[in-house]
Amino acid sequence: MSGPAWFRALLVGALALTVVFLALPVVAIFVDAGPLDLVRSLGDEGAVEALRLSLLCSSIAVAVIVLVGTPAAYLLATRRFRGRSTLMTVIELPLVLPPAVAGIGLLAALGPRGLLGGLIEDAGLQLVLTTAGVVVALTFVAAPFYVRQAQAAFEAVDRSWLDASRTLGAGEARTFLRVAIPGAGGGLVAGLALAWGRALGEFGATLMFAGSFRGITQTVPLAIYERFSTDFTGALALSAVLVGMSAALLLAVRLLSGSSWLGGARAAR
Amino acid sequence: MLRVDASLVLGRFELDVALEAPAGRCLVLAGPSGAGKTTVLRVVAGLVRPRHGHVACGERTWLDTERRIDVPIERRRCGYVFQDYALFGHLSAWRNVAYGLRELPRAERRRRAHELLDLFGVAHLADAHPRTLSGGERQRVALARALAPRPHALLLDEPLSALDARTRAAAGRELASVLRETGVPALLVTHDFTEAALLGDHIGVIDGGRVIQHGTAADLAASPASAFVADFTGAVVLTGMAAPGADGLTHVVIDGGGELLSTDPGSGPVAASVYPWEIALARGDDGRGGSAQNRLAVEVTSVTHLGNRVRVGLAAPQPLTAEVTAPAARDLELAPGMAVVASWKAAATRLLKL
């Protein structure tokens, strides 16, 4: 690093401030919640229920997002059509929606008296205040993270790879599965991690749309909030577990996308 | 026989071409960048659909906009070598080659991919990933991949342009023999006339979306249809055997007769190139006494006027082209059948190892 000393000091100072400010709360959680508290809170039935629910609901939500979002992102990335940029804006909108607004929106759309409420009821489904509702809320807030990232990843795949695949006798579906997805691999996994992280931490929309019932809709963030006023130590312990889960997820994704079978496509360019 | 007849409009660019490439022959489309060369390949492969057009390969019609025939890309069986080779980065070399061999059983697929890599001398790289290969190695893998499904036609987009000068000559020679052996029509695109002359049986010069002239390399150089073609054809190429001489110059015995000198080092088979405007013409022995070391008795085969300059086709006995000014051509009274002496400096003669 070159330049005058005062500028170097400014850069280093700014980075130090950023790191300290962002890391301090996370560190504090682990410092305040001792190992004993952690073990005790994990023995608590409500906490275990919340953890199970969080993992279950976020896994289902992410699976749905990947299954539907991947082909959708591929279409947006590879075709130019009228209204494409409008569609992209619509998909990105939930990113900037306040969670409470998202919850209200979901109620207005899928609630008993919502736009599609009748249809859902006729189909014999119950979303509001149920576990299925949690999955719907998580999917709604997390999907844009994945679709955006996946679209960028598909756009970065060399067009001539797709063309080459076609001239080698592969149809569009095979080209998508055998060339586009492996080619975009690293970006897709990164998008998956972002979406999963967002789903694990989701609070507002879940509370509004599905409520906070132990064992049914109370995910870890909701359980933390419930404990917050009565059992601060318990809340801290659960927070530590959530931080651990999210960090493990991030790390796993980093390792996966760094390995040769996914990183290969990007390194080749 | 590959027949293409297509017209399309892409923004402000208009393409209108009609071409034929016989089986086992290589038709080269040569022209500056932006001339529409790659678009022609994409039309043949089906990657671009022209508004009006007809593309047929032998008995098979791939595109006929009037009869509403448009065979999907994957069913045309066109081997396509892309400019940057487009090897799949997530697959090893042999899996790249095997990609187009889906109909074969697994073991057979693997065997045939290795066989093809062996044919191109890169069998030892079968398990290597494209990012670890050199330009020349990638080109071979790309050729092997394109030929693997036994294509009905071969399309090559600037197959040598990604290579450095040293590997280009060897790769070009190999490619020329591969193109002759495959027995399928080949359509090759290049912006380099020397490359076109070495690889193509027939060359079409394309500019602004139109084929402005076609013929053999010698035809084009000797009687260009326009000043553009004259400039584009650039140097003429003579092949021969080189050996270092006692005078410090390289002596090249021209295939078919005659000898020339070059300041470039070289030995063995070479391509000697010289620009038409470097060649001076004189009647009888008038050319003696100058500083030009190269003197060949030649016969004028054609005289083409291009404004203030004149292209003169010569038989030496390999075709040679000179470019002289219009007044000089008048003074010499140049006409086909006339015997003249062509002279040029050894320093103006470039040698390319073949």
Side-chain angles (χ1 to χ4, degrees), chain B residues 153-174:
Chain B
L154 194 58
L155 308 172
L156 305 109
D157 193 353
E158 305 264 8
L160 303 179
S161 70
L163 305 180
D164 58 67
R166 204 183 315 166
T167 42
R168 192 175 302 164
R173 193 171 57 246
E174 256 182 42

Side-chain angles (χ1 to χ4, degrees), chain A:
Chain A
M1 195 161 51
S2 60
W6 65 266
F7 185 64
R8 235 178 301 163
L10 182 86
L11 293 183
V12 172
L15 180 61
L17 197 64
T18 309
V19 170
V20 168
F21 182 71
L22 293 182
L24 195 62
V26 180
V27 172
I29 286 172
F30 285 96
V31 172
D32 283 8
L36 265 177
D37 293 329
L38 257 176
V39 173
R40 189 156 42 84
S41 80
L42 283 181
D44 176 47
E45 207 176 302
V48 175
E49 278 289 332
L51 273 172
R52 190 189 63 85
L53 255 183
S54 260
L55 275 178
L56 177 75
C57 294
S58 64
S59 304
I60 296 174
V62 166
V64 170
I65 289 168
V66 169
L67 231 53
V68 180
T70 309
Y74 183 65
L75 181 72
L76 281 175
T78 53
R79 304 282 203 287
R80 295 288 171 271
F81 50 88
R82 267 168 58 141
R84 177 173 169 271
S85 54
T86 315
L87 277 187
M88 280 163 58
T89 311
V90 169
I91 288 172
E92 285 175 13
L93 198 60
L95 287 178
V96 295
L97 278 189
V101 175
I104 291 278
L106 284 174
L107 277 173
L110 309 174
R113 258 166 271 152
L115 275 179
L116 301 180
L119 275 174
I120 290 167
E121 212 164 296
D122 292 347
L125 290 173
Q126 172 72 34
L127 294 181
V128 178
L129 309 183
T130 65
T131 308
V134 178
V135 174
V136 169
L138 298 190
T139 306
F140 180 78
V141 296
F145 286 85
Y146 178 75
V147 175
R148 244 167 66 118
Q149 182 75 36
Q151 186 191 335
F154 282 128
E155 274 166 2
V157 173
D158 202 330
R159 279 309 292 247
S160 65
W161 287 17
L162 307 181
D163 290 344
S165 166
R166 299 293 304 279
T167 64
L168 289 167
E172 285 199 77
R174 191 172 144 86
T175 298
F176 172 62
L177 289 174
R178 302 297 296 274
V179 175
I181 289 183
L188 296 183
V189 174
L192 187 149
L194 274 176
W196 207 330
R198 180 70 184 84
L200 272 179
E202 215 298 309
F203 175 76
T206 316
L207 184 64
M208 304 276 294
F209 187 64
S212 178
F213 299 103
R214 262 192 202 193
I216 302 172
T217 69
Q218 195 178 79
T219 56
V220 176
L222 294 171
I224 292 171
Y225 184 71
E226 196 192 57
R227 262 146 240 245
F228 166 64
S229 49
T230 54
D231 175 14
F232 191 73
T233 322
L236 261 179
L238 257 183
S239 303
V241 172
L242 192 57
V243 170
M245 262 165 66
S246 304
L249 190 74
L250 256 177
L251 199 70
V253 165
R254 273 280 159 79
L255 289 176
L256 257 181
S257 57
S259 73
S260 62
W261 67 276
L262 281 167
R266 284 190 300 169
R269 245 169 280 129

